[in-house]
Amino acid sequence: MSYNLLKGKKGIIFGALDDKSIAWRTALRCAEEGAQLVLTNAPVAMRMGEINKLAETVNAPVIPADVTNMDDLKKLMEGAMAHFGGKIDFILHSVAMGMNVRKGKHYTDLDYGFSQKTLDISSLSLHRVLRTAWDMDALSDWGSVVALSYIAAQRVFPDYSEMADAKALLESVARSFGYHYGVRNKVRINTVSQSPVRTTAGSGVKGFDGFITYAEKMSPLGNASADSCAEYVVSLFSDLTRMVTMQNLYHDGGFSSTGVTQAVIDQMEK
């Protein structure tokens, strides 16, 4: 059901790889709510994924951009504003890559070169996107930026490795830039800490299947799906959340506030 929450709004979606990804589901939901979109991803991710199929579905152009390259981001903002005929109202940052995780490196034995790339792609990329928009005055007053995070920024999940550090930095960037952008343009910047989802990227984490089952048992409402996350993000892009900024918002079925559940106790006592 559509409520026209984003009617007349224009936004950029970073990171839609395939129909399992939260960015993909969010793009679909934004379009349903009346938004005009520009899609973007790194050239290598575009070759691996199916973003052109999504572009046809939501009637959006695709503008490639490497989030570690300021020139690419400038061209993206210029292209988006030219397409929209004006400023941008919202941005979804759904970009992450854990190099040590991919290479099977334990947290106690990190390759620091990999770690720098992880932070560059997964965290500092948000700062680059915001700085580019800031320098170009690309975001509308009362615009909204959302970046996807995870509770490993606050708690230990051993196999999440250096991605936990990356998410902690991501949340810090959202708070710090959120202050400055709020003062200047009333732009709000938040992170959403989502339940584990069976995305192509998430499934690459060691022990993921066991953990997603555990999270389901630990969440009073169960794990939040990619589609329900998309709905939550839409609400943050809408005018209904104009005074929410600099927050890390948990969208996890109650996992983040639960110490233990009866389902987990029962499982342990079997």
Side-chain angles (χ1 to χ4, degrees):
M1 183 181 292
S2 173
Y3 304 95
N4 286 322
L5 290 176
L6 304 182
K7 185 178 181 180
K9 293 191 181 295
K10 306 167 180 68
I12 300 175
I13 303 291
F14 282 82
L17 182 66
D18 55 36
D19 62 4
K20 296 178 183 178
S21 72
I22 293 173
W24 186 293
R25 310 312 297 180
T26 301
L28 291 176
R29 200 70 184 89
C30 287
E32 289 174 3
E33 291 297 336
Q36 296 179 51
L37 300 174
V38 164
L39 305 177
T40 185
N41 214 331
V44 62
M46 289 175 61
R47 290 194 295 271
M48 293 169 54
E50 302 171 332
I51 195 169
N52 290 326
K53 183 192 300 184
L54 175 62
E56 291 180 13
T57 303
V58 299
N59 191 29
V62 179
I63 304 176
D66 178 346
V67 291
T68 67
N69 186 303
M70 293 294 285
D71 289 335
D72 275 14
L73 292 173
K74 183 178 179 181
K75 291 175 183 176
L76 169 63
M77 295 292 173
E78 289 173 341
M81 287 192 289
H83 174 70
F84 295 140
K87 293 187 180 183
I88 299 154
D89 298 305
F90 63 84
I91 294 174
L92 175 67
H93 179 284
S94 180
V95 181
M97 180 179 291
M99 296 296 294
N100 282 286
V101 174
R102 285 195 167 199
K103 299 295 184 179
K105 300 286 288 183
H106 193 270
Y107 188 76
T108 59
D109 186 34
L110 293 180
D111 179 302
Y112 297 119
F114 289 164
S115 293
Q116 288 174 348
K117 290 179 180 178
T118 294
L119 296 176
D120 208 20
I121 295 168
S122 307
S123 312
L124 292 176
S125 60
L126 176 61
H127 194 286
R128 286 192 186 87
V129 169
L130 293 169
R131 179 183 171 185
T132 303
W134 173 279
D135 290 345
M136 298 176 66
D137 194 21
L139 278 168
S140 303
D141 287 0
W142 296 101
S144 176
V145 179
V146 173
L148 298 183
S149 190
Y150 185 55
I151 195 175
Q154 285 79 33
R155 300 185 187 177
V156 175
F157 295 88
D159 293 322
Y160 205 61
S161 194
E162 91 273 34
M163 277 305 302
D165 301 336
K167 292 302 187 184
L169 177 55
L170 180 80
E171 292 175 13
S172 181
V173 169
R175 284 190 297 271
S176 297
F177 226 124
Y179 166 77
H180 296 289
Y181 234 144
V183 169
R184 194 180 84 169
N185 295 104
K186 305 300 182 186
V187 168
R188 55 207 197 271
I189 303 171
N190 297 287
T191 54
V192 170
S193 187
Q194 165 67 9
S195 295
V197 174
R198 294 187 189 278
T199 62
T200 300
S203 299
V205 178
K206 182 182 176 184
F208 183 79
D209 286 343
F211 179 69
I212 201 169
T213 301
Y214 168 75
E216 180 75 23
K217 290 181 179 294
M218 275 289 291
S219 306
L221 300 181
N223 289 330
S225 68
D227 283 326
S228 64
C229 184
E231 292 177 340
Y232 190 45
V233 171
V234 163
S235 75
L236 293 171
F237 289 157
S238 78
D239 292 337
L240 299 179
T241 52
R242 276 188 145 202
M243 300 306 291
V244 180
T245 193
M246 301 163 62
Q247 303 299 309
N248 179 53
L249 302 162
Y250 291 102
H251 186 260
D252 60 5
F255 180 93
S256 53
S257 294
T258 304
V260 70
T261 61
Q262 191 62 48
V264 170
I265 292 173
D266 292 345
Q267 185 69 35
M268 296 297 290
E269 291 182 341
K270 282 184 179 179

